[in-house]
Amino acid sequence: MELRAHAKINLSLAVLGTRPDGYHELRTVFQSLALHDTLEFEPGDGRLSIACSSPRVPLDERNLAWKAARLVWEAAGRAGLPSGRLRIAKRVPVQGGLGGGSADGAAALVGWNRLWDAGLAPDRLRQLARGLGADVPFFLSAGTALGLDRGDDIRPLADAPPRWVVLVMPGFGVSTPQAFRWWDEDESARAGARAAAADPAERGGLAVFNDLEAPVSRRHPELADIRARLAAAGALAAAMTGSGSTMFGLFDGEPRARAAAGGLADRRWRVAVTRTATREEAALLAAGPGDGAGDLRRLV
């Protein structure tokens, strides 16, 4: 059984303050991408094993797909230890703000549920997803969606206008806790965040901004250079996604996106071209295993 775990970008991300539980109050618009990992599930021989094409991905209980296996097994009332094999073909960069780990975790919830015929309903899987991480619930519905609270209260929206997307991935990652710590430390960034949330710039019919971009760019000025180069290449809008470090530019056609990507070639950066994906294309709870995967793979 094979499932796709689609990457995401945050079209907008407003940090509204710190919650009593220590997390940050967010208002964000998620958007699925055609770029995806592929997860292949097989019955096991009495133990749980995970293999991945990327050496940067942990293969033990630190992996969200491993944690998902435990959650599904226990929620189904199974005795003993979970048994199964999972192979992850990794295309979504690690620590890039594209949600690769969270997407894999969401796909694993669905995959283990199907592999073991556990019978967990979609609402139960969404509950388990919130326990895995703040971004994970989005990947069960995908498409375009509003995220509230920690970003895990998901409100599906109508699919945004289709766009081609140029991703520029620097040679460094930014951890989510680190990005939010920098936001906490930067009073000027918080003031700018409030202004951006109140009156976001709209380009190409979309409000595109990220309150975390200013504090992260202050520590990594290279990101401001990437944003400027995306704008100069004709992007309708450009911003950092999630907690970084990936920057994205939105384009209104494949030729323009590919031309821009060619002009952004830099040995310090990895550049990729993909497109936005609709809810029907990317939703794990709606799509059958492997449906349409061949059509999407040509894009990444």
Side-chain angles (χ1 to χ4, degrees):
M1 180 180 62
E2 184 178 290
L3 290 175
R4 303 184 308 271
H6 288 260
K8 60 82 180 170
I9 53 176
N10 297 81
L11 293 174
S12 63
L13 196 163
V15 185
L16 305 180
T18 305
R19 296 158 48 98
D21 59 9
Y23 287 93
H24 289 77
E25 190 77 20
L26 304 179
R27 183 180 180 89
T28 184
V29 175
F30 295 104
Q31 174 61 55
S32 293
L33 300 178
L35 173 68
H36 63 278
D37 294 341
T38 302
L39 284 72
E40 185 177 349
F41 300 82
E42 292 181 349
D45 53 3
R47 63 188 181 91
L48 183 67
S49 66
I50 296 178
C52 184
S53 60
S54 170
R56 297 187 61 191
V57 174
L59 305 178
D60 54 18
E61 59 273 5
R62 295 171 294 170
N63 190 301
L64 288 186
W66 185 293
K67 294 179 180 179
R70 292 285 187 134
L71 289 175
V72 171
W73 192 263
E74 292 171 1
R78 304 292 172 88
L81 298 175
S83 173
R85 291 191 295 270
L86 169 61
R87 289 190 292 271
I88 304 174
K90 194 73 180 159
R91 300 181 183 90
V92 182
V94 177
Q95 275 195 349
L98 295 165
S102 295
D104 291 349
L109 287 173
V110 174
W112 297 127
N113 189 41
R114 292 179 181 173
L115 182 72
W116 297 328
D117 195 22
L120 301 182
D123 284 348
R124 182 63 175 129
L125 290 177
R126 291 188 184 97
Q127 290 175 353
L128 297 180
R130 297 186 78 161
L132 278 181
D135 282 355
V136 179
F138 161 71
F139 293 99
L140 293 176
S141 57
T144 308
L146 176 66
L148 302 174
D149 293 344
R150 298 185 307 156
D152 57 356
D153 179 3
I154 302 301
R155 313 287 180 88
L157 302 173
D159 283 320
R163 293 283 184 260
W164 282 81
V165 184
V166 175
L167 302 172
V168 183
M169 296 157 274
F172 60 88
V174 178
S175 73
T176 298
Q178 187 176 54
F180 279 99
R181 186 165 58 249
W182 290 340
W183 186 87
D184 289 335
E185 293 171 357
D186 290 5
E187 183 176 355
S188 61
R190 292 197 297 274
R194 287 191 293 271
D199 186 23
E202 295 201 14
R203 301 285 303 277
L206 297 172
V208 178
F209 64 93
N210 186 336
D211 290 353
L212 294 176
E213 185 177 331
V216 173
S217 293
R218 186 170 302 184
R219 278 78 178 181
H220 295 286
E222 183 177 340
L223 299 183
D225 179 38
I226 294 173
R227 172 198 262 274
R229 290 179 63 173
L230 282 166
L236 297 171
M240 186 179 78
T241 180
S243 58
S245 60
T246 300
M247 302 291 292
F248 69 89
L250 302 178
F251 292 82
D252 59 6
E254 182 178 5
R256 290 186 178 182
R258 296 204 179 276
L264 283 161
D266 189 304
R267 64 182 182 181
R268 299 171 296 167
W269 307 332
R270 177 184 169 193
V271 180
V273 177
T274 184
R275 63 165 174 82
T276 57
T278 66
R279 179 167 296 107
E280 182 179 1
E281 291 170 325
L284 287 163
L285 293 180
D291 293 347
D295 293 335
L296 290 172
R297 285 196 187 111
R298 67 183 179 84
L299 298 173
V300 297

